[in-house]
Structures are given as C-alpha cells and as structure tokens.
Amino acid sequence: MALASGVAGPANGADLLTSTGRLRRRLVFDRVIGWALLAAFLVVLFPLFDMLYWVSAKALPTLTWGTLTQNQVGTGGGLYPMIVGTFVLIGIATAISTAIGVVAGFYTSEYAPAPVARVARIAGNLLAGVPAIVLGYFGYFLLVIYTGWGFTALAGGITLGIFMTPYIYRTTDVALTNVPPAQREAALAMGSRRGQYLVRVAFPIAIPTILTGIFFAMALGLGEAAPILYTAGFSSTPITSLMSPTGSLAVAIWQFYDFPSTYGSFLALAFQAAFLSIVIVLVLNVAVQLLSDRYRRRLRGLYQ
Amino acid sequence: MSASDPGAAPVLTVEHLTVRSPTRTILSDVSLEFADKEVTGIIGPSGCGKTTFIRTLNRMIDTSPGLRVEGSVRYRGQDIYGRGVNPVLVRQRIGMVFQRPTVFPMSIYENVAFGLRLLRTEEETVESVVRRSLTRAGLWNEIGSNLDQPALELSGGQQQRLCIARALAIEPKVLLFDEPTSSLDPIAAQKVEELFGELKKDYAVIIVTHNLQQAARVASRTAFLYQGRLIESGPTEALFERPKESLTQQYITGRFG
Ligand SMILES: Nc1ncnc2c1ncn2[C@@H]1O[C@H](COP(=O)(O)OP(=O)(O)OP(=O)(O)O)[C@@H](O)[C@H]1O
Ligand SMILES: [Mg+2]
C-alpha cells in the first residue's frame, strides 16, 4: 500500500484488483483445464500402479534371499542363473548398441551429407519398428545356425544389442542436433575442426540426453524375451562362458508363466522374475537420473 | 578506397567480394582494406549484409550452406579462399566474437583455455595465457579468483568479455566483432567498448555496429554498407562530418535504417 499512498485512488473505492467478466471466465477455464489434465494423468498412471501392485502382491510373499542366490531346481529354487544371465546379456547388448548408436549419431548429426543423414534416420526408425521376434529369428539364423555356435550368451547379447541400437542412435542424433547452433559457431570460429567441436563441445552438452536414451534402451531390452529366446536359449544353471546358453529374467517370465497353474511354485518364480525386472529398471532409472543430473547442472543457462 | 597509414601494408585486403545465395546477391563487389592496429567500423541498416561481410573475413561463411563467395580476401597477401587454404588455420589467425555471448558450458578457465587445448599447448603455458587473456579482456580483477566457476553463471557482460579473452588466448592477428554490445545493458556495453582502445594496440579490429555513436567513439575508419554495396569508407570523422555520398548523409542523419 506504500506505493499507492499519494496516488489518488478511485473516489468510490472501487475494487481494481479482482478480475470480473471475460478475464474471470478465462481464469476459471484455466483451472478447469488444469483439473482435466490432472485427471488424464491419473488415468495414465493407474494401470502402472495397478501392475506394480499386482506383481508385488504375487511376488513378495514368496520372495526370499534364496530367490537371489539359488539355482532353479525343478519347479522351485531361485533365479540366480537368470539374474546373472540378464546382467551379462544386457551388458553385452549395451556395450554394442552404445558403441554403434553413439558413433552413428555423431556421423549423421555432423558429418553425413543431408541425403545420407535422411536415409540413416529413416533406417534407424525402421529398425526400431521391426518386431523383436523378427530380430530374434534373424539372430537365430545368423548367430546360432549359420555360425554353428548353438544357443550362446554372446548371440543373445548381440541380438539384444541390435534391438537396442536404434533407440540409442536416435537420442544421440537428436541430442547432438539440438545443441544450440551458437555453440557450434563459437567452436568453429575458435579454429576447431568438426571432430573437435563434437568431442569437446557438443558431446558434453548432449551427454544427459544420450544417457537417458541408453537407459531407455536398456529398460526396453530388459523386458524383451523375443530377441534372446532363440539366441541365448535358456539354462537353469549359472552361465559358465559367453559361448554357453544362459537363462534370463525375461525368458523366465515367458516360460514359467506359461505353465498350468497346477505348478504353483513355477508361477511364483515367474512373478519373482517380473518383480526383479521391475526393481532393476527402477534402480537403473534412479542411477541414470542422478548421473545425468550431475551433467545437466553444468548446462544451466545454456538454453536461455 | 583511400590508402591507410602510408607505408603500412593492410592486414586484410578485400577485393571484388560478391556473396550470392541461391535466390539473390547479398554482397556485391565490395573492395576494402583493413590496416593493422586500427579499429574499423562497419555500419549500415539492418539486412544490408554486415554480418555476411564480416563472416567472409575468417571463412565462417563456409558454415552457411548455399552461399557462394566470389572475389578475394587477402590476409597479408595470401587469399584465404585460395587453393589448399585450411579454414581452421584462417580462423586461428582471424578471431571472431558474436553478437550474443557464446561461452561454452565449462569453467571460466576451460573457456579461455579452449583454443590452446586444440593446439595442445603445455599446461604451464596455458595457465599464464589464461591469466594474460583475462587481464587484457578486463576480467582478471573481477573473476581471476573464481576460475573454476561455470562460465554460464557470469553476467551477460562478463560472458561477452570472456568470449573476447577466449579469442585473444590463441593470439590472432585480426579480431572480428559482430555487434558485440547490442545484447548488453549500457554499463556492460561500455565496459566492452572500453576494451577496443586497448585491443587496437596489438590487433587489427573490425567491428560491425548498429550504433553510430559507438562507431564514432571507437573506430578510426568506418565503412558504410547499403543493400550489399559498399557506399563509402574512410576516416570516421570525415565520413560522419563530410560524407561524400548522399546515401551516407541520409543514413548518418537518421533518415533511414
Ligand atoms: N545463409 C543465408 N542464406 C540466404 N540468405 C541469407 C543468408 N544469410 C543472410 N542472408 C540474407 O542476406 C541479407 C543480409 O544479411 P546479414 O545478416 O548479413 O545483414 P546484417 O546487415 O548483418 O543485418 P542486421 O543488422 O539485422 O544484423 C539478409 O537479407 C539475409 O536475409
Ligand atoms: Mg547482423
């Protein structure tokens, strides 16, 4: 009110600060839209929480330390071989898909002539659209039959890597393309070659987004049974070498869930595998968020 | 084009420079010389081709696809558009500072060291060059004790002077400025402007500006561009007080632009 003192207000003390008429209707409309969006958000979230509840409710009562440490024995025992197998498969797949995806993203975002880049982007999208089971058969014929390896963790990892590559490629390409053009101008004006610009300026700016892409690809890969079913095969004992078949959580869910419900403990193993998969994705998510937040903090102010 | 200081060969000689886009001619037949240790101002209304012109001087124009350059720009006698010339080396000798500050998302120190790292300079040298460059850009007293601070946290004016320090660090011979103060508040702009008097002792400085007072204050020579043509150039005082062309007269008296 200090401001208003000395300024002659309306003689009748009319209220100037409360909106009426059109403006008021608009504010009400804003609020209605806000509630509607919240409702839509909850509708989307509901199946997620329902699923989490359903899986946890079925898995937790039978989950023990042994689930994590024991081999599967008949219709019971633990999931130790599948947990290890999952980490091995995802490890191989992440290494392969990150290497290919990031290098391809570097190439199309900076070096490729426009028509080549366009074709590469379309190819990437097509690969992302290929059903996982088709990739699985591709891996089967190429890496299981043609090579004569039989079912191996390596074949599974490679096939899963091919499945994950387009997602990592696409986020890398987009992240690098979206670096503010002024950064590129400044780097080139300082006498950077394009490769130096990419490595020293663009890549550090793109890292948080690329990390998110890698996480997204890993989460998808964790949940896919199709690419590894006919490449890594299955085993209820722990993996001994990359050239031996291996079990995995995704295939465990697929296999154990498919048995008649009379095999009660089998079904329990399936739910435990599902529960563990979800936990791994959540932990991975938190880790990637923390990591990319650290990088993102340096970028504050860049996009203003 | 009257000759600059008698005896001193120009650092940059632009001859019959024409720049075309696929649809039109952006610059036509511009010829102009730039002397060492002198500030040259480039003025002209919006869209007349000032930015395009200054970007031809260090081959940054190469990064705009679709623009064709004809004519020559000679740096100490050598055509920078000549066969076998590496634009990266051109840009190391002819530095550039942009309209909006473009610091990298790194520490203050790493920003200034950026060009030296490209040249694989030894760390000892880097340290002393960073210090010297920040001092020359008038920043050492302000931020010399916070070299690890992210550069993006600096104010706009400090960021712009950091960009100048970054450009100075690799010891260019020519410095190009494209409206270096137009995104800054008046006080920050004044601090940047004050640097030009110092910089011209060591470099050939070329500055594009919208601000005629600025050109009058800092430039000893001024060139006036209009619709892609060089209308007039000469000593700043003469150009402002006794323009030879009526277009120049109209522009500096504010009748268009
Ligand atoms: N890459 C390009 N392709 C096509 N036309 C261009 C390109 N760059 C600039 N132009 C055109 O060239 C003309 C001159 O542009 P330029 O940016 O050099 O002007 P300017 O004098 O710097 O203007 P301002 O004072 O607004 O910065 C403009 O009409 C612009 O549209
Ligand atoms: Mg401009």
Side-chain angles (χ1 to χ4, degrees):
Chain A
M1 286 300 96
L3 261 180
S5 66
V7 177
N12 57 4
D15 178 358
L16 293 175
L17 300 177
T18 309
S19 52
T20 51
R22 251 174 75 93
L23 179 58
R24 188 178 163 70
R25 279 198 301 280
R26 227 156 42 196
L27 290 177
V28 170
F29 182 70
D30 266 2
R31 202 167 302 165
V32 169
I33 291 286
W35 286 112
L37 288 176
L38 180 65
F41 180 62
L42 291 177
V43 168
V44 172
L45 276 191
F46 177 75
L48 173 68
F49 280 108
D50 186 51
M51 191 268 299
L52 281 177
Y53 174 77
W54 180 63
V55 171
S56 312
K58 297 255 188 187
L60 284 177
T62 54
L63 193 71
T64 62
W65 186 242
T67 312
L68 303 178
T69 58
Q70 288 170 8
N71 291 353
Q72 179 207 345
V73 185
T75 63
L79 292 167
Y80 174 70
M82 297 81 196
I83 296 169
V84 174
T86 293
F87 281 117
V88 169
L89 291 171
I90 283 290
I92 298 171
T94 305
I96 293 174
S97 56
T98 302
I100 301 176
V102 169
V103 169
F106 269 42
Y107 176 70
T108 49
S109 70
E110 183 67 28
Y111 292 101
V116 177
R118 189 151 359 140
V119 170
R121 285 173 186 135
I122 292 172
N125 287 343
L126 282 179
L127 187 56
V130 172
I133 189 69
V134 175
L135 281 184
Y137 275 111
F138 171 76
Y140 174 70
F141 285 119
L142 194 69
L143 300 170
V144 176
I145 304 293
Y146 181 74
T147 57
W149 291 351
F151 291 147
T152 60
L154 186 62
I158 294 174
T159 311
L160 197 58
I162 297 172
F163 169 79
M164 287 162 57
T165 298
Y167 303 100
I168 298 179
Y169 160 64
R170 203 155 50 180
T171 35
T172 304
D173 181 48
V174 168
L176 290 171
T177 314
N178 284 349
V179 169
Q183 293 281 315
R184 183 168 186 272
E185 291 256 289
L188 295 182
M190 287 297 297
S192 309
R193 284 179 279 115
R194 291 195 296 188
Q196 291 172 323
Y197 155 69
L198 267 183
V199 172
R200 289 166 190 267
V201 178
F203 187 57
I205 293 175
I207 279 179
T209 313
I210 296 175
L211 279 177
T212 310
I214 294 174
F215 159 72
F216 182 66
M218 287 171 89
L220 284 177
L222 270 166
E224 279 291 346
I228 45 183
L229 194 54
Y230 297 113
T231 50
F234 195 73
S235 165
S236 47
T237 52
I239 180 173
T240 49
S241 98
L242 290 186
M243 298 314 281
S244 64
T246 180
S248 53
L249 292 172
V251 174
I253 300 169
W254 188 84
Q255 277 200 335
F256 300 163
Y257 192 71
D258 218 21
F259 280 83
S261 54
T262 44
Y263 293 81
S265 55
F266 241 27
L267 199 60
L269 271 183
F271 275 105
Q272 285 160 3
F275 181 75
L276 291 178
S277 299
I278 293 172
V279 170
I280 293 174
V281 170
L282 287 181
V283 170
L284 205 61
N285 190 3
V286 171
V288 167
Q289 286 301 328
L290 292 178
L291 199 62
S292 64
D293 275 0
R294 260 198 29 206
Y295 285 108
R296 205 160 266 143
R297 214 166 302 142
R298 292 175 316 148
L299 304 182
R300 212 175 281 149
L302 183 65
Y303 288 93
Q304 281 165 7
Chain B
M1 271 18 62
S2 56
S4 46
D5 299 348
V11 180
L12 279 178
T13 310
V14 178
E15 270 175 352
H16 306 299
L17 184 79
T18 297
V19 177
R20 294 182 219 275
S21 77
T23 50
R24 56 186 280 259
T25 303
I26 300 173
L27 287 174
S28 37
D29 198 25
V30 175
S31 297
L32 191 59
E33 290 182 348
F34 298 95
D36 201 4
K37 311 209 191 306
E38 195 167 70
V39 179
T40 307
I42 314 266
I43 59 170
S46 198
C48 72
K50 303 181 297 295
T51 296
T52 307
F53 176 69
I54 203 169
R55 286 167 63 88
T56 60
L57 301 182
N58 66 344
R59 291 200 51 179
M60 278 304 285
I61 194 97
D62 295 18
T63 65
S64 318
L67 296 189
R68 281 212 333 276
V69 179
E70 293 156 27
S72 69
V73 175
R74 275 180 288 129
Y75 168 73
R76 295 180 160 173
Q78 187 183 6
D79 186 1
I80 65 170
Y81 289 91
R83 194 179 260 269
V85 170
N86 184 347
V88 166
L89 297 179
V90 171
R91 293 173 199 148
Q92 284 169 6
R93 285 169 186 65
I94 307 176
M96 183 167 225
V97 173
F98 299 88
Q99 182 166 356
R100 285 170 53 94
T102 53
V103 300
F104 299 131
M106 313 165 180
S107 68
I108 292 169
Y109 185 91
E110 284 305 321
N111 263 277
V112 184
F114 184 83
L116 301 169
R117 301 244 185 267
L118 299 177
L119 301 171
R120 308 196 181 286
T121 312
E122 281 169 24
E123 195 57 37
E124 274 172 55
T125 321
V126 172
E127 262 185 62
S128 63
V129 174
V130 166
R131 186 190 171 116
R132 190 174 65 220
S133 307
L134 285 171
T135 308
R136 275 162 139 184
L139 270 177
W140 182 258
N141 292 336
E142 279 170 62
I143 61 177
S145 52
N146 295 326
L147 296 181
D148 291 331
Q149 194 189 353
L152 282 165
E153 289 176 6
L154 297 174
S155 73
Q158 288 173 325
Q159 287 189 20
Q160 190 64 314
R161 280 180 288 149
L162 184 63
C163 290
I164 295 173
R166 187 175 67 188
L168 293 177
I170 53 172
E171 292 295 341
K173 298 297 175 218
V174 183
L175 283 171
L176 310 175
F177 293 89
D178 189 359
E179 302 194 38
T181 60
S182 63
S183 73
L184 306 180
D185 68 79
I187 293 177
Q190 193 193 342
K191 283 190 179 164
V192 169
E193 205 180 293
E194 282 164 0
L195 289 176
F196 294 121
E198 280 299 310
L199 292 177
K200 77 169 176 206
K201 290 177 186 162
D202 301 302
Y203 308 93
V205 177
I206 302 171
I207 164 175
V208 162
T209 178
H210 249 122
N211 181 333
L212 296 181
Q213 282 80 23
Q214 185 173 59
R217 282 192 299 266
V218 304
S220 50
R221 300 180 66 82
T222 298
F224 171 54
L225 284 179
Y226 181 67
Q227 294 186 347
R229 291 175 187 282
L230 177 67
I231 303 300
E232 184 170 353
S233 74
T236 303
E237 219 179 87
L239 188 118
F240 277 95
E241 281 166 20
R242 300 176 299 280
K244 296 193 195 84
E245 304 290 331
S246 68
L247 271 172
T248 317
Q249 168 78 28
Q250 287 171 37
Y251 181 66
I252 59 181
T253 52
R255 253 169 280 170
F256 63 84

PDB file of all heavy atoms in Angstrom, chain B residues 84-99:
ATOM      1  N   GLY B  84      43.873 -24.874 -51.334  1.00  0.00           N
ATOM      2  CA  GLY B  84      44.678 -25.501 -50.282  1.00  0.00           C
ATOM      3  C   GLY B  84      44.667 -24.762 -48.949  1.00  0.00           C
ATOM      4  O   GLY B  84      45.276 -25.218 -47.992  1.00  0.00           O
ATOM      5  N   VAL B  85      43.981 -23.611 -48.887  1.00  0.00           N
ATOM      6  CA  VAL B  85      43.956 -22.895 -47.608  1.00  0.00           C
ATOM      7  C   VAL B  85      43.008 -23.606 -46.647  1.00  0.00           C
ATOM      8  O   VAL B  85      41.891 -23.967 -47.006  1.00  0.00           O
ATOM      9  CB  VAL B  85      43.512 -21.432 -47.814  1.00  0.00           C
ATOM     10  CG1 VAL B  85      43.244 -20.763 -46.477  1.00  0.00           C
ATOM     11  CG2 VAL B  85      44.558 -20.670 -48.594  1.00  0.00           C
ATOM     12  N   ASN B  86      43.485 -23.814 -45.420  1.00  0.00           N
ATOM     13  CA  ASN B  86      42.675 -24.505 -44.419  1.00  0.00           C
ATOM     14  C   ASN B  86      41.900 -23.476 -43.596  1.00  0.00           C
ATOM     15  O   ASN B  86      42.501 -22.657 -42.899  1.00  0.00           O
ATOM     16  CB  ASN B  86      43.613 -25.315 -43.523  1.00  0.00           C
ATOM     17  CG  ASN B  86      42.852 -26.154 -42.506  1.00  0.00           C
ATOM     18  OD1 ASN B  86      41.651 -25.952 -42.315  1.00  0.00           O
ATOM     19  ND2 ASN B  86      43.546 -27.069 -41.865  1.00  0.00           N
ATOM     20  N   PRO B  87      40.564 -23.516 -43.668  1.00  0.00           N
ATOM     21  CA  PRO B  87      39.778 -22.508 -42.939  1.00  0.00           C
ATOM     22  C   PRO B  87      40.044 -22.539 -41.432  1.00  0.00           C
ATOM     23  O   PRO B  87      39.948 -21.512 -40.762  1.00  0.00           O
ATOM     24  CB  PRO B  87      38.321 -22.879 -43.243  1.00  0.00           C
ATOM     25  CG  PRO B  87      38.344 -24.194 -43.933  1.00  0.00           C
ATOM     26  CD  PRO B  87      39.722 -24.425 -44.458  1.00  0.00           C
ATOM     27  N   VAL B  88      40.409 -23.708 -40.906  1.00  0.00           N
ATOM     28  CA  VAL B  88      40.705 -23.796 -39.475  1.00  0.00           C
ATOM     29  C   VAL B  88      41.888 -22.885 -39.125  1.00  0.00           C
ATOM     30  O   VAL B  88      41.862 -22.158 -38.122  1.00  0.00           O
ATOM     31  CB  VAL B  88      41.005 -25.265 -39.084  1.00  0.00           C
ATOM     32  CG1 VAL B  88      41.649 -25.341 -37.716  1.00  0.00           C
ATOM     33  CG2 VAL B  88      39.714 -26.085 -39.110  1.00  0.00           C
ATOM     34  N   LEU B  89      42.901 -22.880 -39.980  1.00  0.00           N
ATOM     35  CA  LEU B  89      44.075 -22.033 -39.717  1.00  0.00           C
ATOM     36  C   LEU B  89      43.733 -20.555 -39.907  1.00  0.00           C
ATOM     37  O   LEU B  89      44.224 -19.686 -39.192  1.00  0.00           O
ATOM     38  CB  LEU B  89      45.232 -22.438 -40.638  1.00  0.00           C
ATOM     39  CG  LEU B  89      45.729 -23.871 -40.417  1.00  0.00           C
ATOM     40  CD1 LEU B  89      46.852 -24.195 -41.383  1.00  0.00           C
ATOM     41  CD2 LEU B  89      46.189 -24.055 -38.981  1.00  0.00           C
ATOM     42  N   VAL B  90      42.855 -20.283 -40.884  1.00  0.00           N
ATOM     43  CA  VAL B  90      42.403 -18.903 -41.082  1.00  0.00           C
ATOM     44  C   VAL B  90      41.747 -18.386 -39.809  1.00  0.00           C
ATOM     45  O   VAL B  90      42.039 -17.293 -39.323  1.00  0.00           O
ATOM     46  CB  VAL B  90      41.408 -18.821 -42.267  1.00  0.00           C
ATOM     47  CG1 VAL B  90      40.773 -17.438 -42.335  1.00  0.00           C
ATOM     48  CG2 VAL B  90      42.089 -19.180 -43.579  1.00  0.00           C
ATOM     49  N   ARG B  91      40.870 -19.222 -39.236  1.00  0.00           N
ATOM     50  CA  ARG B  91      40.112 -18.777 -38.057  1.00  0.00           C
ATOM     51  C   ARG B  91      40.989 -18.651 -36.821  1.00  0.00           C
ATOM     52  O   ARG B  91      40.646 -17.929 -35.884  1.00  0.00           O
ATOM     53  CB  ARG B  91      38.949 -19.741 -37.796  1.00  0.00           C
ATOM     54  CG  ARG B  91      37.907 -19.666 -38.898  1.00  0.00           C
ATOM     55  CD  ARG B  91      36.844 -20.722 -38.763  1.00  0.00           C
ATOM     56  NE  ARG B  91      36.141 -20.911 -40.031  1.00  0.00           N
ATOM     57  CZ  ARG B  91      35.645 -22.065 -40.433  1.00  0.00           C
ATOM     58  NH1 ARG B  91      35.756 -23.139 -39.663  1.00  0.00           N
ATOM     59  NH2 ARG B  91      35.030 -22.154 -41.583  1.00  0.00           N
ATOM     60  N   GLN B  92      42.100 -19.374 -36.805  1.00  0.00           N
ATOM     61  CA  GLN B  92      43.010 -19.197 -35.665  1.00  0.00           C
ATOM     62  C   GLN B  92      43.705 -17.845 -35.730  1.00  0.00           C
ATOM     63  O   GLN B  92      44.089 -17.288 -34.708  1.00  0.00           O
ATOM     64  CB  GLN B  92      44.057 -20.315 -35.649  1.00  0.00           C
ATOM     65  CG  GLN B  92      43.479 -21.631 -35.137  1.00  0.00           C
ATOM     66  CD  GLN B  92      44.432 -22.789 -35.362  1.00  0.00           C
ATOM     67  OE1 GLN B  92      45.562 -22.618 -35.795  1.00  0.00           O
ATOM     68  NE2 GLN B  92      43.958 -23.988 -35.070  1.00  0.00           N
ATOM     69  N   ARG B  93      43.874 -17.310 -36.935  1.00  0.00           N
ATOM     70  CA  ARG B  93      44.555 -16.020 -37.054  1.00  0.00           C
ATOM     71  C   ARG B  93      43.577 -14.857 -37.062  1.00  0.00           C
ATOM     72  O   ARG B  93      43.945 -13.733 -36.762  1.00  0.00           O
ATOM     73  CB  ARG B  93      45.399 -15.997 -38.322  1.00  0.00           C
ATOM     74  CG  ARG B  93      46.648 -16.824 -38.148  1.00  0.00           C
ATOM     75  CD  ARG B  93      47.367 -17.039 -39.436  1.00  0.00           C
ATOM     76  NE  ARG B  93      48.489 -17.946 -39.276  1.00  0.00           N
ATOM     77  CZ  ARG B  93      48.390 -19.233 -38.937  1.00  0.00           C
ATOM     78  NH1 ARG B  93      47.205 -19.756 -38.690  1.00  0.00           N
ATOM     79  NH2 ARG B  93      49.461 -19.995 -38.828  1.00  0.00           N
ATOM     80  N   ILE B  94      42.351 -15.152 -37.455  1.00  0.00           N
ATOM     81  CA  ILE B  94      41.333 -14.106 -37.533  1.00  0.00           C
ATOM     82  C   ILE B  94      40.181 -14.507 -36.615  1.00  0.00           C
ATOM     83  O   ILE B  94      39.318 -15.298 -36.977  1.00  0.00           O
ATOM     84  CB  ILE B  94      40.854 -13.918 -38.990  1.00  0.00           C
ATOM     85  CG1 ILE B  94      42.081 -13.698 -39.909  1.00  0.00           C
ATOM     86  CG2 ILE B  94      39.881 -12.762 -39.087  1.00  0.00           C
ATOM     87  CD1 ILE B  94      41.753 -13.601 -41.376  1.00  0.00           C
ATOM     88  N   GLY B  95      40.220 -14.010 -35.402  1.00  0.00           N
ATOM     89  CA  GLY B  95      39.255 -14.419 -34.377  1.00  0.00           C
ATOM     90  C   GLY B  95      37.935 -13.689 -34.523  1.00  0.00           C
ATOM     91  O   GLY B  95      37.832 -12.672 -35.211  1.00  0.00           O
ATOM     92  N   MET B  96      36.894 -14.220 -33.858  1.00  0.00           N
ATOM     93  CA  MET B  96      35.572 -13.635 -34.017  1.00  0.00           C
ATOM     94  C   MET B  96      34.804 -13.675 -32.698  1.00  0.00           C
ATOM     95  O   MET B  96      34.854 -14.654 -31.970  1.00  0.00           O
ATOM     96  CB  MET B  96      34.812 -14.424 -35.086  1.00  0.00           C
ATOM     97  CG  MET B  96      33.441 -13.878 -35.404  1.00  0.00           C
ATOM     98  SD  MET B  96      32.812 -14.649 -36.917  1.00  0.00           S
ATOM     99  CE  MET B  96      32.183 -13.216 -37.766  1.00  0.00           C
ATOM    100  N   VAL B  97      34.092 -12.584 -32.429  1.00  0.00           N
ATOM    101  CA  VAL B  97      33.219 -12.526 -31.265  1.00  0.00           C
ATOM    102  C   VAL B  97      31.822 -12.175 -31.763  1.00  0.00           C
ATOM    103  O   VAL B  97      31.666 -11.299 -32.615  1.00  0.00           O
ATOM    104  CB  VAL B  97      33.715 -11.475 -30.242  1.00  0.00           C
ATOM    105  CG1 VAL B  97      32.721 -11.291 -29.111  1.00  0.00           C
ATOM    106  CG2 VAL B  97      35.089 -11.878 -29.698  1.00  0.00           C
ATOM    107  N   PHE B  98      30.829 -12.883 -31.231  1.00  0.00           N
ATOM    108  CA  PHE B  98      29.487 -12.769 -31.802  1.00  0.00           C
ATOM    109  C   PHE B  98      28.621 -11.777 -31.042  1.00  0.00           C
ATOM    110  O   PHE B  98      28.986 -11.275 -29.981  1.00  0.00           O
ATOM    111  CB  PHE B  98      28.808 -14.142 -31.800  1.00  0.00           C
ATOM    112  CG  PHE B  98      29.548 -15.153 -32.627  1.00  0.00           C
ATOM    113  CD1 PHE B  98      30.568 -15.923 -32.083  1.00  0.00           C
ATOM    114  CD2 PHE B  98      29.253 -15.314 -33.968  1.00  0.00           C
ATOM    115  CE1 PHE B  98      31.255 -16.846 -32.845  1.00  0.00           C
ATOM    116  CE2 PHE B  98      29.934 -16.227 -34.748  1.00  0.00           C
ATOM    117  CZ  PHE B  98      30.935 -17.000 -34.184  1.00  0.00           C
ATOM    118  N   GLN B  99      27.451 -11.568 -31.598  1.00  0.00           N
ATOM    119  CA  GLN B  99      26.500 -10.612 -31.029  1.00  0.00           C
ATOM    120  C   GLN B  99      26.074 -11.018 -29.614  1.00  0.00           C
ATOM    121  O   GLN B  99      26.101 -10.223 -28.692  1.00  0.00           O
ATOM    122  CB  GLN B  99      25.289 -10.549 -31.956  1.00  0.00           C
ATOM    123  CG  GLN B  99      24.229  -9.576 -31.524  1.00  0.00           C
ATOM    124  CD  GLN B  99      23.248  -9.324 -32.652  1.00  0.00           C
ATOM    125  OE1 GLN B  99      23.415  -9.820 -33.765  1.00  0.00           O
ATOM    126  NE2 GLN B  99      22.230  -8.554 -32.366  1.00  0.00           N
TER     127      GLN B  99
END
